[in-house]
């Protein structure tokens, strides 16, 4: 139970990765911080269900070793990223094709160290010769077009990997599908590789996402490796919470209103503070901060299966270039991260984007049988997780740097203020923490005994 008179310099509302990351940065700057979370656990949408020794992510976010904020965020030093096999595996016309693989991927436990190098000096990717493996022959060609088309694709990915992010943000903005069509790549390459890849990265099968956001996603893909956090998605928020000062995080505390100098909770009354940071999901943030825009969302359904006879696709992320069923991407994730399944069992996790079909498990099994070229009759369904508001939409035009300072003393962060990724959530937290420290420093003191500054309008809520 919290003491009614508990005070802090800053109260953070929400213990997802954005709120916890901001709390770390504030604490490191000498700002006393309290994090209030309504759920009984930390993490928000980055949660992992544990069933009979399996670790099942509810949304299954794909991380990239090229995300700079993973290396820059205090508290994530112990994070281990488990990378997929280089590039992706495409299923087309009954065959598997390796695409987008690049050199210099690094070992599994060295993946996060690769991020630290990439954060300061991104390396361009290159397309090597295709590798063999999997339950169907692995070839190059069909989804990528001719040898000349593949060379043009490799050159485009290399240029993206070497282009500074700020330059990409200055490009003309269109829906991603229209921008790809205007860049001279053949329709076969776009539909067979870039469309299924971007759908997996952005959770947007129609590619209405801003072309700038799509370019950032492709840049991260070309410069690094797709990966999963060892132990499940919940590991990121748990690491952040565990390394904060004891007593900083309070779960089971529901905030009902906020102001520039206090928050009111349903169970524990009022918390006085010098500033408030709302770090919840977009809809909850709009309820606490009237006038804040609520974006559209992409629904995501993740279906988890287990078997003792897994498909022989290795640690690859498998995409359907033919779009012949509900599954956007799938993987034997226990090959990527063995900690997610007990010994002798394999964990296959598959993602459905948009509204799931009726009888989703039956439809997914039928599709997986074609994708893997193996019977799924003996597979056991472990869980079906549907999240209606999984990922905020980033349709063009999209402001990737939405204001984090609403008033001096009132701030907001989360993936709805930046890009709708873990990288975006962490980056918005970085911006919000910097704004808070700047404002408190300008006020003259972080001592709560001093009078709080008079709130002044800084930026209107967009």
């Amino acid at each position: 139970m919290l003491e009614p008179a508990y005070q802090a310099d800053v109260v953070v509302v929400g213990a997802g990765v954005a709120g916890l990351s901001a709390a770390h940065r504030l604490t490191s700057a000498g700002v006393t911080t309290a994090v209030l979370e309504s759920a009984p656990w930390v993490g928000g949408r980055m949660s992992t269900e544990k069933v009979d020794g399996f670790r099942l992510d509810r949304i299954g976010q794909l991380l990239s070793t090229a995300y700079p904020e993973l290396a820059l965020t205090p508290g994530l030093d112990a994070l281990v990223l488990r990378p997929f096999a280089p590039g992706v595996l495409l299923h087309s016309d009954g065959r598997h094709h390796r695409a987008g693989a690049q050199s210099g991927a690094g070992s599994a436990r060295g993946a996060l160290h690769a991020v630290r190098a990439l954060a300061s000096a991104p390396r361009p990717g290159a397309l090597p010769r295709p590798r063999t493996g999997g339950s169907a022959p692995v070839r190059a060609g069909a989804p990528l077009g001719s040898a000349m088309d593949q060379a043009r694709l490799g050159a485009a990915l290399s240029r993206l990997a070497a282009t500074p992010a700020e330059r990409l943000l200055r490009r003309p903005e269109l829906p991603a599908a229209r921008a790809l069509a205007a860049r001279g790549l053949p329709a076969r390459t776009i539909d067979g590789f870039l469309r299924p890849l971007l759908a997996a990265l952005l959770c947007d099968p129609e590619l209405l996402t801003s072309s700038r956001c799509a370019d950032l996603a492709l840049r991260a893909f070309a410069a690094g490796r797709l990966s999963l956090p060892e132990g499940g998605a919940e590991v990121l928020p748990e690491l952040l919470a565990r390394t904060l000062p004891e007593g900083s995080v309070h779960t089971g505390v529901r905030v009902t209103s906020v102001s520039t100098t206090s928050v009111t909770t349903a169970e524990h009354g009022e918390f006085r503070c010098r500033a408030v940071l709302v770090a919840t999901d977009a809809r909850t943030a709009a309820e606490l901060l009237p006038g804040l825009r609520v974006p559209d969302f992409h629904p995501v359904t993740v279906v988890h299966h287990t078997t003792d006879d897994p498909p022989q696709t290795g640690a690859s992320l498998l995409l359907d270039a033919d779009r012949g069923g509900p599954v956007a991407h799938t993987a034997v994730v226990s090959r990527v991260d063995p900690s997610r399944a007990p010994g002798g069992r394999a964990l296959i996790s598959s993602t459905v984007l948009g509204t799931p079909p009726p009888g989703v498990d039956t439809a997914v099994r039928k599709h997986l049988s074609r994708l893997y070229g193996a019977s799924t009759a003996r597979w056991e369904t472990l869980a079906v997780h549907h999240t209606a508001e999984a990922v905020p939409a980033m349709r063009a035009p999209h402001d990737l740097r939405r204001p984090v300072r609403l008033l001096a003393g009132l701030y907001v962060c989360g993936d709805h203020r930046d890009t709708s990724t873990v990288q975006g959530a962490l980056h918005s937290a970085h911006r919000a923490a910097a704004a808070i420290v700047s404002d408190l420093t300008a006020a003259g003191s972080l001592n709560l005994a001093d009078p709080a500054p008079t709130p002044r309008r800084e930026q209107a809520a967009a």
Side-chain angles (χ1 to χ4, degrees):
M1 298 292 289
L2 300 175
E3 294 295 332
Y6 186 90
Q7 294 178 330
D9 291 333
V10 177
V11 172
V12 178
V13 183
V17 291
L20 293 169
S21 172
H24 255 285
R25 293 185 177 280
L26 293 169
T27 300
S28 299
V31 180
T32 60
T33 306
V35 182
L36 308 183
E37 168 59 50
S38 61
W41 56 81
V42 301
R45 284 165 288 157
M46 292 199 73
S47 62
T48 303
E49 183 183 14
K50 300 177 181 66
V51 177
D52 298 332
F54 294 93
R55 293 173 175 266
L56 313 176
D57 284 354
R58 291 189 174 273
I59 296 181
Q61 293 98 331
L62 299 171
L63 304 184
S64 171
T65 59
Y67 282 170
E69 288 293 339
L70 288 176
L72 299 174
T73 299
L76 292 182
D77 293 342
L79 176 65
V80 176
L81 296 182
R82 292 288 187 178
F84 288 90
V88 294
L89 206 58
L90 297 169
H91 180 271
S92 179
D93 296 328
R95 296 183 181 277
H96 291 156
H97 309 263
R98 179 73 59 186
Q102 76 270 359
S103 59
S107 65
R109 290 193 173 271
L112 189 58
H113 298 293
V115 181
R116 301 183 190 283
L118 287 164
S120 57
R123 292 187 298 171
L127 293 173
R129 297 174 182 173
R131 300 184 180 185
T132 59
S135 54
V138 177
R139 301 185 178 187
L144 302 178
S146 66
M148 180 62 71
D149 294 335
Q150 294 176 57
R152 291 166 68 188
L153 174 62
L157 290 177
S158 295
R159 286 194 299 272
L160 272 177
T163 301
E166 292 305 318
R167 185 183 301 174
L168 295 180
L169 298 182
R170 292 195 295 269
R171 285 183 170 182
E173 188 176 22
L174 293 170
R178 286 176 54 192
L180 290 174
R183 290 179 184 174
L185 291 171
R188 187 180 186 89
T189 302
I190 294 173
D191 292 336
F193 172 56
L194 292 175
R195 179 179 289 274
L197 174 63
L198 282 171
L201 299 178
L202 303 170
C203 297
D204 176 15
E206 303 305 318
L207 294 193
L208 299 176
T209 294
S210 162
S211 56
R212 294 172 181 172
C213 301
D215 283 343
L216 290 176
L218 285 176
R219 179 181 183 272
F221 172 79
R225 284 271 287 276
L226 296 179
S227 62
L228 297 173
E230 184 179 76
E234 69 176 11
V235 168
L236 267 80
E238 286 185 349
L239 279 174
L240 291 169
R242 192 182 309 145
T243 50
L244 282 170
E246 186 175 356
S248 297
V249 180
H250 309 274
T251 57
V253 180
R254 183 167 59 90
V255 173
T256 57
S257 65
V258 300
S259 72
T260 57
T261 56
S262 69
V263 302
T264 303
T265 69
E267 300 87 358
H268 304 287
E270 185 181 36
F271 283 60
R272 293 189 296 110
C273 54
R274 294 290 298 275
V276 175
L277 171 60
V278 176
T280 65
D281 63 272
R283 189 170 299 281
T284 304
E287 291 171 357
L288 293 173
L289 301 167
L292 206 67
R293 184 182 68 90
V294 179
D296 294 329
F297 296 90
H298 296 303
V300 173
T301 304
V302 182
V303 184
H304 298 281
H305 294 102
T306 182
T307 178
D308 56 3
D309 184 22
Q312 298 305 306
T313 49
S316 298
L317 183 69
L318 176 58
L319 312 179
D320 185 10
D322 299 331
R323 291 193 286 173
V327 176
H329 57 89
T330 181
V332 184
V333 296
S334 53
R335 292 265 174 81
V336 182
D337 177 11
S339 73
R340 297 187 180 223
R345 303 294 297 180
L347 173 62
I348 300 99
S349 299
S350 309
T351 298
V352 176
L353 301 177
T355 303
V360 60
D361 184 46
T362 300
V364 165
R365 282 174 179 266
K366 184 177 180 180
H367 195 189
L368 292 178
S369 182
R370 293 199 303 273
L371 291 177
Y372 285 113
S375 172
T376 60
R378 295 180 58 247
W379 291 14
E380 176 188 350
T381 304
L382 294 170
V384 178
H385 293 144
H386 176 69
T387 306
E389 297 186 350
V391 179
M394 299 183 289
R395 296 191 179 99
H398 179 74
D399 185 357
L400 281 86
R401 298 294 182 267
R402 297 184 69 80
V404 292
R405 179 197 284 111
L406 307 182
L407 298 169
L410 192 58
Y411 309 82
V412 61
C413 68
D415 58 1
H416 51 97
R417 310 309 291 175
D418 211 282
T419 59
S420 302
T421 61
V422 174
Q423 161 74 9
L426 294 174
H427 189 255
S428 74
H430 193 158
R431 293 193 292 129
I436 293 170
V437 171
S438 175
D439 287 353
L440 291 180
T441 301
S445 173
L446 296 176
N447 189 337
L448 283 176
D450 291 344
T454 301
R456 57 187 175 86
R457 176 68 64 177
E458 292 282 348
Q459 284 180 300

